[in-house]
Amino acid sequence: MTAPALIDTIGRAFDLPETVIGAFWLGDRVLFATGDGSVTAHTHNGEAWVREGVHDGALLTACAGFTEDVLTGGDDGRVAAVDAQGDIRTLGVYKQSWIGALGASRTAKLAAAGVGKDAVILSAAGEKHRFAHDATVTGLAFEPNGRRFAAAHYGGVTISWAASPDSRRKSLAWKGAHLSVIWTHDAKFIVTTMQEQALHGWRLQDGQHFRMAGYPAKIRALSFSNDNKWLASAGAQEVVLWPFQGPNGPIGSNAAVSGELGAPCTAVACHPNRAVLAAGGADGEIALMPVGGGKALLIDRPHGARVTALAWSADGRRLAIGCETGRAGVLDFTDAL
Amino acid sequence: MSTQIPVTVLTGYLGAGKTTLLNRILSEPHGKKYAVIVNEFGEIGIDNDLVVGTDEEVFEMNNGCICCTVRGDLIRVIEGLMKRKGRFDAIIVETTGLADPAPVAQTFFVDEDVKARTSLDAVVTVVDAKHLPLRLKDSKEAEEQIAFADVVLLNKVDLVSPAELAAVEATIRTINPYARIVRTERSNAPLDAVLGLGAFDLERILTVAPEFLNPAHGEEGHVHDEHCDHDHDHVHDEHCGHDHHHHAAPPKNEMAPIHDVTVKSVSLSTDAPLDDRKFFAWYQTLLQQQGADILRSKGILAFKGEPRRYVVQAVHMMADGDHQRPWKDDEKRTSRLVLIGRNLDAPALEADFLSCVAQ
């Protein structure tokens, strides 16, 4: 007898044309960006629209935009913004570059795109500034107030003031390739995922840095818990949680774990206002788990393809899921949570 | 989940003929679509093929361990290519003339995504027959590119005399006796000599280097068979250890310019079955301690009490091994391990290898 899965009871599964790169809620719609270069919108009830050819080539990365939209980057060198109605705007075109890193700030109304070794700052009006780095920019993130942004690259992280390229920049060096970057909500810490199976973190106040290692697989996702006390990470069968509650963050502390998946975790998304998280694995299994550990609920059964996207709506009532093969789904937890 | 996309790595010094080969591959009516990763957009680009330009970006991991050095740009490009399946059948990576092939090859062992979705098919090195001696004098990369090769495309053979050609082939053999040498004029190699070789595939290792179980020409114990790429004018047997006048060795009085070569190969073999535990303990320690100097190694091993052949291959410290088909009844169970590298102490290696013989 197979265990009941929430996707069958409170959700709906469907197939998208290609690998799901990201899923983003805009009100009651969720936009799925897929590797074939298209963006598809769904509501809880069904498909709202499809926009093919947002990119003339592969869609490589996507992030929540700086207005009510989603930003996508492709191997056509384009940075596009797609809104809930399916209107597409081009923010920038960088021929012969692959746009594989994007970040945005709603507060600052700015986006950052990795164009080779440069981070380009974009506003609704287009390119504003350009920041050079020593190596290809692989990850970008604005601090919560939107004033500075962090660029992850080989050799560490560089923090720059988005509005003033001439201001002093901060270099956080650590040997190795840093792939993505995330700020804590209070902007006191920065954490990167690495090419190695490890995270690296810095306390910005004094540059104290720390390594969080011991993962059996690449760490493909990070998410802060609703109370910002825990950083949930993919990369192991258990969701590994690092404490960020005190002034020292995880320095000198041990990690906690939540429930376990049947395969290494590849996607994790903490609920926006409850102490639960959704975690998906390399075999397609998705589970809902309490942040501190405890009984998990099955959201989707393993089907063999890696989970690549998990996204809660802002009110936490809905969850979107997406996989490497294009399998996707939406669930409504209104009555369940 | 999905099948692995084969990747061919094309190396060679500037001007050796890589671009000509690439254009030849792309323009032949093979009905396949290739994704080509190049260092700079040159005169390449055929409809239907995807040409991607990258900056060679070498990543040192784990605090600079040479064997964990990978090509970050390749990881990103391959991940990007894999976001759309079915768009191409194979990937060709062209390196710059000065590139060290090790990080390219190691990328396919180290990165879990690249490893899962692609398979390294072969390292093909294009060599200019005329200028190789000079290249070997002024760069260590030229030598390493040959050492890493599964296939050496000896190009521009029409521009050298038979004696020069023989000398250059002998030099290549000194560095890497197990690469297949394909002589070409304007990189006019048959496609099946450079693509779809499975040189890193443990099941197929022998089809690329058929000489593998067989000591090299001129070495004691060499057996000529259908794989020898020359005509036989007399019957050879196991004991023919003499020089063959038709073999691509330099004439006696004309020395190959091997004094410029710092890479050499050491070939170890025994007919006595090996103790698997002893062997793995020794081989792993060897790769750990001397992996930086050992560019490539390959072996086929007969373990005591094991009916199947064990095949192993490594790029620096990155080793990959598995049991293969059973030994045939009429097959001589010779264990053979070849190491290509620098500063190799052949007598010591041989003594250590022989100490792995099962008691």
Side-chain angles (χ1 to χ4, degrees), chain A:
Chain A
M1 207 184 101
T2 50
L6 293 173
I7 190 82
D8 300 326
T9 53
I10 57 167
R12 182 170 62 81
F14 43 90
D15 287 318
L16 294 171
E18 258 290 3
T19 304
V20 179
I21 306 296
F24 306 90
W25 289 91
L26 297 172
D28 65 350
R29 283 184 182 180
V30 58
L31 274 59
F32 292 93
T34 50
D36 60 315
S38 68
V39 175
T40 306
H42 274 257
T43 65
H44 182 66
N45 301 319
E47 184 181 295
W49 46 257
V50 185
R51 296 291 177 267
E52 286 174 5
V54 174
H55 291 278
D56 178 23
L59 189 156
L60 300 173
T61 189
C63 76
F66 54 80
T67 53
E68 278 288 315
D69 55 14
V70 172
L71 301 184
T72 60
D75 68 9
D76 56 354
R78 224 156 77 87
V79 180
V82 185
D83 69 14
Q85 282 65 53
D87 290 335
I88 304 163
R89 284 180 306 133
T90 296
L91 292 185
V93 182
Y94 302 93
K95 285 282 170 212
Q96 296 201 340
S97 286
W98 285 27
I99 309 299
L102 286 174
S105 166
R106 285 202 172 197
T107 319
K109 299 259 179 283
L110 293 174
V115 179
K117 294 179 182 177
D118 289 349
V120 174
I121 298 297
L122 300 160
S123 70
E127 183 173 331
K128 283 179 77 81
H129 302 296
R130 220 172 232 265
F131 294 81
H133 297 82
D134 294 337
T136 303
V137 173
T138 47
L140 288 162
F142 282 85
E143 70 177 315
N145 70 17
R147 292 166 69 191
R148 293 177 297 172
F149 71 94
H153 48 76
Y154 181 64
V157 172
T158 304
I159 298 175
S160 312
W161 296 90
S164 52
D166 300 325
S167 294
R168 199 188 154 108
R169 299 164 76 189
K170 191 180 194 123
S171 257
L172 305 172
W174 180 252
K175 261 190 174 176
H178 301 262
L179 304 182
S180 72
V181 58
I182 189 171
W183 298 72
T184 53
H185 74 291
D186 55 7
K188 286 186 174 158
F189 294 91
I190 264 189
V191 176
T192 62
T193 61
M194 296 191 69
Q195 168 70 32
E196 286 127 296
Q197 292 149 3
L199 300 174
H200 206 80
W202 286 267
R203 181 164 62 191
L204 296 176
Q205 180 197 344
D206 57 0
Q208 172 81 31
H209 65 100
F210 45 97
R211 179 177 167 83
M212 294 164 275
Y215 293 85
K218 227 186 215 182
I219 302 151
R220 297 171 201 281
L222 295 175
S223 175
F224 276 102
S225 62
N226 66 307
D227 57 4
N228 293 308
K229 286 184 175 169
W230 298 95
L231 177 63
S233 57
Q237 268 178 257
E238 302 92 357
V239 176
V240 178
L241 300 156
W242 295 97
F244 274 85
Q245 39 261 62
N248 294 329
I251 301 168
S253 300
N254 289 326
V257 292
S258 68
E260 190 174 335
L261 295 166
C265 176
T266 56
V268 59
C270 292
H271 192 275
N273 47 44
R274 283 172 189 264
V276 294
L277 58 84
D283 62 356
E285 181 190 357
I286 302 173
L288 185 71
M289 324 171 161
V291 168
K295 192 174 154 44
L297 294 175
L298 186 66
I299 291 176
D300 200 6
R301 284 181 205 87
H303 45 69
R306 178 198 295 173
V307 180
T308 53
L310 291 171
W312 292 99
S313 60
D315 61 8
R317 286 168 55 199
R318 296 196 168 111
L319 176 73
I321 65 172
C323 299
E324 193 177 18
T325 45
R327 178 182 168 82
V330 288
L331 296 96
D332 188 338
F333 287 88
T334 306
D335 303 322
L337 275 176

Side-chain angles (χ1 to χ4, degrees), chain A residues 18-19 21 35-36 57-60 75 96 98 117 135-136 138 154 175-177 195-197 217-218 220 304-306 324-325, chain B residues 1 41 50 52-53 55 57-64 70 75-77 79-85 87 110-113 117:
Chain A
E18 258 290 3
T19 304
I21 306 296
D36 60 315
L59 189 156
L60 300 173
D75 68 9
Q96 296 201 340
W98 285 27
K117 294 179 182 177
T136 303
T138 47
Y154 181 64
K175 261 190 174 176
Q195 168 70 32
E196 286 127 296
Q197 292 149 3
K218 227 186 215 182
R220 297 171 201 281
R306 178 198 295 173
E324 193 177 18
T325 45
Chain B
M1 184 187 65
F41 290 99
L50 182 65
V52 185
D55 286 331
E57 200 166 42
V58 175
F59 281 3
E60 283 180 5
M61 294 165 59
N62 300 320
N63 285 316
V70 299
I75 296 173
R76 284 196 300 276
V77 169
E79 270 182 9
L81 289 173
M82 291 305 157
K83 295 204 163 128
R84 284 197 308 170
K85 296 182 288 284
R87 192 153 169 235
V110 173
D111 185 83
E112 63 185 56
D113 288 328
R117 290 149 182 231

Side-chain angles (χ1 to χ4, degrees), chain B residues 292-310:
Chain B
D293 275 339
I294 299 169
L295 305 177
R296 274 187 84 169
S297 57
K298 284 186 187 184
I300 292 183
L301 306 156
F303 292 128
K304 190 177 184 181
E306 172 57 60
R308 293 167 298 171
R309 312 199 297 186
Y310 190 88

Side-chain angles (χ1 to χ4, degrees), chain B residues 85-133:
Chain B
K85 296 182 288 284
R87 192 153 169 235
F88 49 86
D89 305 296
I91 298 174
I92 301 171
V93 180
E94 185 196 20
T95 71
T96 55
L98 283 168
D100 173 1
V104 183
Q106 285 169 182
T107 302
F108 296 87
F109 292 82
V110 173
D111 185 83
E112 63 185 56
D113 288 328
V114 172
K115 197 172 164 179
R117 290 149 182 231
T118 63
S119 64
L120 185 52
D121 186 64
V123 177
V124 176
T125 299
V126 186
V127 163
D128 177 335
K130 181 89 182 162
H131 292 111
L132 181 66

